[in-house]
Amino acid sequence: MKDSSRFIKILKVYSDIAGSKRGASLGIDALMESSQDIGSRYFKKYKAESVITNKLLENESTNFPHAKYIDKVYDVVKDVAFRIKEFREEKLFPIVLAGDHASSAGTMHGLKMAHPNDEIGVVYIDAHADIHSPYTTSSGNIHGMPLAIVTKLDNKKSAINQLSQEEIIYWEKIKNLTGKEASIKPENIVFCALRDFQIAEENLINEYNIKKYSAKDITYRGIKNIVDEIFEKLAHCKHIYVSFDVDSIDPLYLPGTGTPSENGLSFEQALQLNMQLIKNKKVCCWEIAEINPKFDENSRGTNAIFKILEQVTKMLIHRY
């Protein structure tokens, strides 16, 4: 009997420089502590690599008000992209444990580098749309921009900011890591648990007819029905990436994230949604992001997220 676990490799991305609050970089070690607390051998069983970034100094300023710390975020995205490319070329299934969600741009770029001629679908489980650009953002936080990065959607029709030349240079660099073509087509994105987005993002969702499901949709229509629809929508895609931002879960259950948003999923819904998605053999990469233990009293939420990680990985192994 083959050891399916050897086809899995974990990438730990210790970065929280793209969010408004620090602490998401601590989420990975918090998951490892949860694993130890229950006697799990999860992190001993699977090989792992790490992407570690320099922490910001206290009160460190940025020269990029509309794309904060983009010079540093670019390095993270580039590093993640080349790691993911290597994993896929080695026929490995990457499980990415990320700090802030900006690094998901690197994951998607890396998948495009590894599969340059194939359609790649994205199932984005998140309270937020993350498709702002420096031209449309009101905060300047790049964890709200990964989908704009990989789709190359500046959305200048909804612009509220005028960028400096240096900001433009870095923005073009981070978008163009994979060349002239966008890494992800906007029509190949499906949102799950989406509920907190701005007009500029809504304009893009409507323009490109991006499919979105709210937590209410998932509750009333049922997870299996939603997942069946997702894979029908992405049937033309050869590879599918699932990105699970824990703020998709309602803060009643999970306060331990930097950008909580009410009316989200329950833990059980998040678990079952990811379990159903990972069964599909087109899924080639799965990611968890935005766990912030600074806001998680007694590690209750982190422990539950580790159980999701463990159960989804078991389902992944079972499908091989």
Side-chain angles (χ1 to χ4, degrees):
M1 182 176 178
K2 66 180 180 179
D3 179 10
S4 298
S5 65
R6 65 190 177 91
F7 296 110
I8 294 171
K9 195 165 187 180
I10 297 171
L11 183 64
K12 298 183 285 188
V13 186
Y14 290 91
S15 178
D16 60 10
I17 56 178
S20 58
K21 300 172 184 176
R22 302 291 160 253
S25 63
L26 305 173
I28 299 157
D29 286 346
L31 285 174
M32 295 174 72
E33 289 172 11
S34 293
S35 174
Q36 291 175 351
D37 288 346
I38 65 171
S40 169
R41 297 187 68 256
Y42 185 91
F43 288 98
K44 295 179 180 178
K45 186 174 183 180
Y46 304 107
K47 293 181 180 179
E49 291 185 12
S50 297
V51 173
I52 301 174
T53 60
N54 294 326
K55 292 183 179 180
L56 296 177
L57 301 175
E58 189 173 355
N59 299 321
E60 181 177 347
S61 61
T62 176
N63 295 324
F64 311 99
H66 307 305
K68 293 176 180 176
Y69 309 104
I70 193 171
D71 51 342
K72 295 178 172 63
V73 175
Y74 171 78
D75 290 338
V76 175
V77 168
K78 183 178 180 181
D79 197 349
V80 170
F82 281 99
R83 302 287 188 97
I84 295 297
K85 176 179 181 288
E86 290 171 3
F87 288 10
R88 292 299 297 159
E89 288 175 344
E90 293 170 8
K91 309 299 184 186
L92 298 171
F93 187 103
I95 291 179
V96 184
L97 307 180
D100 68 61
H101 215 175
S103 67
S104 68
T107 306
M108 290 179 274
H109 274 330
L111 292 173
K112 186 61 176 178
M113 289 175 179
H115 309 289
N117 301 316
D118 298 333
E119 294 272 343
I120 299 171
V122 174
V123 182
Y124 209 75
I125 308 170
D126 197 320
H128 309 91
D130 289 357
I131 202 164
H132 269 299
S133 79
Y135 297 97
T136 65
T137 180
S138 58
S139 70
N141 296 319
I142 301 178
H143 72 165
M145 305 183 194
L147 288 174
I149 291 170
V150 296
T151 56
K152 297 190 177 183
L153 293 177
D154 294 337
N155 195 14
K156 291 182 181 179
K157 289 186 291 186
S158 301
I160 59 172
N161 302 317
Q162 186 171 350
L163 274 56
S164 68
Q165 189 59 37
E166 199 173 10
E167 283 177 313
I168 292 171
I169 289 170
Y170 267 107
W171 180 243
E172 293 301 317
K173 279 179 65 177
I174 204 169
K175 288 190 301 178
N176 293 319
L177 267 173
T178 57
K180 292 182 179 180
E181 289 188 11
S183 291
I184 303 295
K185 295 178 181 178
E187 59 267 29
N188 290 346
I189 298 168
V190 177
F191 288 112
C192 288
L194 180 65
R195 56 196 182 275
D196 190 352
F197 50 94
Q198 283 74 51
I199 292 174
E201 296 175 298
E202 186 175 19
N203 289 341
L204 288 179
I205 291 169
N206 292 335
E207 180 179 351
Y208 290 96
N209 194 28
I210 300 174
K211 190 68 178 176
K212 64 183 189 298
Y213 297 98
S214 67
K216 183 182 286 188
D217 292 330
I218 292 167
T219 298
Y220 285 101
R221 297 190 53 202
I223 288 170
K224 188 178 185 307
N225 291 331
I226 296 293
V227 170
D228 287 347
E229 279 189 17
I230 289 171
F231 288 124
E232 183 177 350
K233 164 78 173 172
L234 301 178
H236 63 288
C237 295
K238 189 170 181 179
H239 310 284
I240 295 174
Y241 156 69
V242 178
S243 188
F244 169 42
D245 185 322
V246 302
D247 70 22
S248 59
I249 298 173
D250 194 282
L252 176 67
Y253 305 100
L254 182 76
T257 188
T259 50
S261 180
E262 294 181 353
N263 300 314
L265 301 172
S266 68
F267 277 125
E268 184 62 25
Q269 286 177 313
L271 171 62
Q272 294 303 324
L273 177 60
N274 280 288
M275 292 272 278
Q276 288 296 322
L277 289 166
I278 208 72
K279 288 179 181 179
N280 191 293
K281 291 189 177 182
K282 285 188 176 182
V283 176
C284 66
C285 180
W286 185 70
E287 184 167 39
I288 295 179
E290 295 281 3
I291 303 163
N292 194 327
K294 286 187 174 182
F295 303 99
D296 186 18
E297 187 176 354
N298 300 322
S299 301
R300 179 174 64 92
T302 307
N303 292 340
I305 294 298
F306 172 72
K307 290 176 183 176
I308 292 176
L309 170 63
E310 189 171 47
Q311 291 301 313
V312 171
T313 306
K314 286 180 180 178
M315 180 61 74
L316 173 61
I317 289 174
H318 181 71
R319 88 176 197 195
Y320 274 102

